[in-house]
Each structure stands twice: as structure tokens, then as C-alpha cells.
Amino acid sequence: MKSSIRRSRRAATAVALGSVLALTATACGDDGSGGAGDKGGEGSGKGTITFWDNNGGVRTDIWKQIIADFEKKYPDIKVEYVGIPAASAQSKYDTAVQGGGLPDVGGVGTAMLAEVAVQGVLEPLDSRLGKSPLNGKLSQNLIDVSKAAGGGDTLYQVPTSANNGTLWYRTDLFKKAALDAPTTWSKFYEAADKLTNKGKNAFGFTIRGGEGAIAPALDAVYGQTGITSFWNGDKTTVNDPKNVAALEKYVALYKKDTPSADVNNDFTKMVAQWDSGTIGMLSHNLGSYQDHLKALGKETFRGIPNPTMDDGTRVQVSNPVDGLSLFKSSKNKAAAWKFIEFAVSAAENSKFNESAGQVPANTEAAKDTWIQQAEPTKLAAEALNGGSTKIVQLPYYLPDWNTISKSDNEPNFQKLLLGKMSAKEFLDTLADQLNAAQADWKKNH
């Protein structure tokens, strides 16, 4: 029933988007509405532009600093800042696409990039970037994530920052147990076993079983097998026999080397549990660094990129990438592009990411002092920018990706942990849904 409802919704969306694109093709003027049919123009490179921050409130202060810096350098350009809470950013863009009033520049994360791009409102940026001082100075891995998330080979988003999967571990507990750092999966599993002492309520690992469980599980699976592509033709590799075996090994940690409460833990509960207890390892992104610092102190933990295979091969799934997009309806694309270039320049990109606690997209910014002093971010930047890291691109471009990876399969992952579903059944179910979504996407594109 769920899948048939989604197919109907997708069909309706495809018809609606077809109508939008048809209107775009036949539009004979510029009505100034800022809607999908508005082609905009380069403008004078001066005047006022509007910027929508897709994480308003959280990032407002730092964006206002960057805007002040920009207006000081370009006194002929004024930037009107509009802060939008992250939870409502997608709906805000969708409403503006239909009703008009899109910004000149907007923050568009990879999770919603394809859904905005498919409506024909984003300016392709490959040519602009090719002629920009930024060319060659942005992480190629992040550029690749941006292009893949946009649904193809076109760049619709200049990446500003990325998170990265991080394995946090208690250095004091590892030292006491005479364990090596968990840099490989073999060392990870060895440590998970050795650090567990249920009689003392000590566990080697805490696994994410509640909301948001699918992406870290896939990161662990692909990281162990070394499979580097999410697709083999039009079929997903997610249920490859190697991945099934890797998932079996990973979920076998539950209740053996992890607390039983993990089955319901989202990231906040999981982080709080790790910070307050005697758990050896936690897999979470860079965002929890400050929490660990306050709870544990700098000398008792480290954060390193997720483990490699025993031969040193590093494979990880793509993490969401934030970035800036230029809208076709802008009447002043020249000024809007200057703002994007400035915001992602080394100095400003460094300033933004120091505030956000994330990895800069600008590789020169990634060499700055604050990153060298924040080891987890430094190692994450090296992993993301390193040519030897292989990124498995998750299909953010699929309209059903969020539904499949969250509401459809988070309950199934809990069944898997509880032994009510096998790893093969779980991955086969996930694969069937993904293959259907991919076929539907290809049919409509």
C-alpha cells in the first residue's frame, strides 16, 4: 500500500514538474515573480541581492559576519539576509517555486538539492566555477557529492562544508586495556569485545538503533567490504552478499558488546550515553565534538575517520554536503555569483566552518591553524580531500530516498537488532525499494 501511494505521488509530481518546465519553455517575458519560469539576467553586478540561509538561527551570526565582510569589499552590493530554520527550508523553496519570490542565492543542502534542481530553478554552475578563482581549490570529493546529489553530472551547488563519519574512542580505556587505536575494522571489533564487561556496565561500543540509524549502518557495511559504488547498472549493491555478511557482523555487536538501550537511541541519546558512561567507542559525525569535550576533557578521547579495511583501503558513504546555489530567476546573477565566490574563498570558508565545526570545502581553508589544532576535523578533512578515499554516493537525488531510509526502514533496522529480521531480509527489502525508486526516477528523467 505504501509503495503504491508513493508511486501515485511521484506520478503527480512528475506531471506538476512537467507543467512547470513547459511554462518555463514557453515563457515570453520576465514578470519579476522569481518563479520557475523566470530566466533572470546577469544584471549590473551592483545593487541588492537576497540570500536565504537554510539553517537560520544556528548560522545567522556567522553569515552576518561574512555578509559584512563582503559588503566592505564590494560597497556597491548590498545583501539582504533571510534566515530560514533548517526544518522548513525545503517547503520554503517549494512554495517560492510555485508562487514566486525565490532568492538570488540560497543555501541548499544535498538532501534537498535534487528536488529543487529538478524544478528547473537552479543555475548550472560548471562554467562559472571553471572561470573562477575557486576552480581547483575545492575538494573534488565534495564536488562529486554535489553533482551526484543534483541527479547527474551538472553542478547546481558550490559546496561550503561537510560533515564526516567519525569514530570517537576513549583513549584512557584503550590505554588501560593495552589496545591499539581502532583504525581498522579488525581492531574495531577486537576493542569492542575486549572493552565489554557487562558486570561493570562497561561496553565496547554504542550502536545507533533509533532515528537516523540507516546511514551509519551503511557506512559500516561499505567500509568493511570495500564496494565503491551504490549501483551496479540499475540495481543497488546494498544487498551484495559481502554487504550482507558485513551487516551481520556489525549488528551482532548489539547486546553482546553494546547496551540493550541502543535499540531506541537517536544521536542525542547515544551521545549522552557515551559521554556519561564507560563505553569505549561511538560512531557519530563531527557535530558532537564540543559535547565530548565538555563531558570528558580533551585528554580522554579522540575522534578519527571511520576504520579502514586491513589493507588500508578507506571506503565511506557520502555525508550530506551544504552549499550555495544560484537561482535562475536572479536579476543580478553577476553580483550573486560574486557573493558565492567570496563566501567560499579560503578566509571566509575557514571562518564559517570554524563556527560550524565542519570540514571546509575550500582545500586552502582546510590547512588553517584552527583545523590543525582540532584533530578530529583535521583528520576528517584529510580523509575527505585525500585522493585515496573512495566515496560511495548515496542516492540523495531519489525523491523517495528520505522515505526509504527513514520511515520505511528504521523500524526494520530495529527488528534486525532484535533478531526479528535477518540481515539478508533487511537488505533485500531495502534493495527492492531502492531499485523501484531508481527505475521510477530514470523513467521520469
Side-chain angles (χ1 to χ4, degrees), residues 133-306:
L134 292 176
N135 190 34
K137 295 182 179 178
L138 302 181
S139 165
Q140 189 58 49
N141 274 336
L142 297 193
I143 290 284
D144 291 345
V145 171
S146 294
K147 286 187 175 183
D153 297 324
T154 302
L155 184 69
Y156 290 111
Q157 174 218 56
V158 176
T160 56
S161 54
N163 231 318
N164 199 49
T166 301
L167 184 63
W168 304 96
Y169 73 97
R170 291 283 299 270
T171 51
D172 53 346
L173 299 181
F174 270 69
K175 183 177 181 180
K176 187 177 179 181
L179 286 164
D180 292 335
T183 53
T184 67
W185 285 104
S186 294
K187 291 177 180 178
F188 165 82
Y189 282 110
E190 178 190 358
D193 265 344
K194 194 166 182 180
L195 292 173
T196 298
N197 185 334
K198 293 181 183 179
K200 294 184 178 180
N201 198 35
F203 297 92
F205 184 56
T206 174
I207 195 169
R208 188 167 180 170
E211 183 182 353
I214 304 303
L218 292 179
D219 213 1
V221 164
Y222 281 95
Q224 290 177 80
T225 62
I227 295 172
T228 58
S229 176
F230 198 78
W231 300 102
N232 182 8
D234 291 331
K235 300 297 182 183
T236 180
T237 59
V238 77
N239 61 336
D240 182 284
K242 292 180 182 177
N243 282 345
V244 172
L247 184 60
E248 287 173 344
K249 188 172 184 179
Y250 183 69
V251 299
L253 294 172
Y254 175 64
K255 288 177 74 172
K256 180 173 77 75
D257 293 329
T258 80
S260 58
D262 282 0
V263 69
N264 293 312
N265 279 358
D266 59 11
F267 87 90
T268 53
K269 294 175 184 173
M270 186 177 63
V271 167
Q273 179 174 265
W274 191 70
D275 286 348
S276 63
T278 54
I279 299 172
M281 296 178 291
L282 160 75
S283 184
H284 188 246
N285 59 45
L286 292 169
S288 54
Y289 177 56
Q290 293 300 328
D291 292 328
H292 307 326
L293 206 56
K294 290 174 186 175
L296 302 171
K298 189 174 182 179
E299 302 305 318
T300 61
F301 75 96
R302 283 185 75 201
I304 61 175
N306 283 338

Side-chain angles (χ1 to χ4, degrees), residues 253-422:
L253 294 172
Y254 175 64
K255 288 177 74 172
K256 180 173 77 75
D257 293 329
T258 80
S260 58
D262 282 0
V263 69
N264 293 312
N265 279 358
D266 59 11
F267 87 90
T268 53
K269 294 175 184 173
M270 186 177 63
V271 167
Q273 179 174 265
W274 191 70
D275 286 348
S276 63
T278 54
I279 299 172
M281 296 178 291
L282 160 75
S283 184
H284 188 246
N285 59 45
L286 292 169
S288 54
Y289 177 56
Q290 293 300 328
D291 292 328
H292 307 326
L293 206 56
K294 290 174 186 175
L296 302 171
K298 189 174 182 179
E299 302 305 318
T300 61
F301 75 96
R302 283 185 75 201
I304 61 175
N306 283 338
T308 68
M309 300 174 69
D310 286 344
D311 65 2
T313 301
R314 185 182 303 286
V315 176
Q316 61 185 63
V317 300
S318 55
N319 278 265
V321 172
D322 214 356
L324 299 173
S325 294
L326 174 61
F327 284 80
K328 283 184 178 179
S329 56
S330 172
K331 307 296 189 301
N332 201 345
K333 293 177 187 175
W337 178 249
K338 282 181 185 177
F339 178 67
I340 292 175
E341 281 186 321
F342 182 84
V344 195
S345 66
E348 301 300 319
N349 193 231
S350 177
K351 183 185 296 184
F352 177 83
N353 282 285
E354 184 175 10
S355 170
Q358 295 186 325
V359 179
N362 190 305
T363 54
E364 291 182 354
K367 299 173 185 175
D368 280 0
T369 302
W370 70 268
I371 289 189
Q372 304 310 309
Q373 294 173 347
E375 187 192 36
T377 308
K378 174 179 179 286
L379 295 176
E382 289 172 354
L384 283 173
N385 296 330
S388 61
T389 298
K390 306 299 182 185
I391 306 289
V392 179
Q393 303 292 352
L394 295 181
Y396 298 120
Y397 60 88
L398 292 177
D400 280 347
W401 169 247
N402 282 336
T403 302
I404 291 170
S405 64
K406 291 184 179 295
S407 55
D408 281 2
N409 284 289
E410 284 176 356
N412 283 346
F413 190 74
Q414 291 180 314
K415 290 179 183 178
L416 173 59
L417 290 178
L418 294 170
K420 297 178 180 179
M421 180 179 259
S422 71

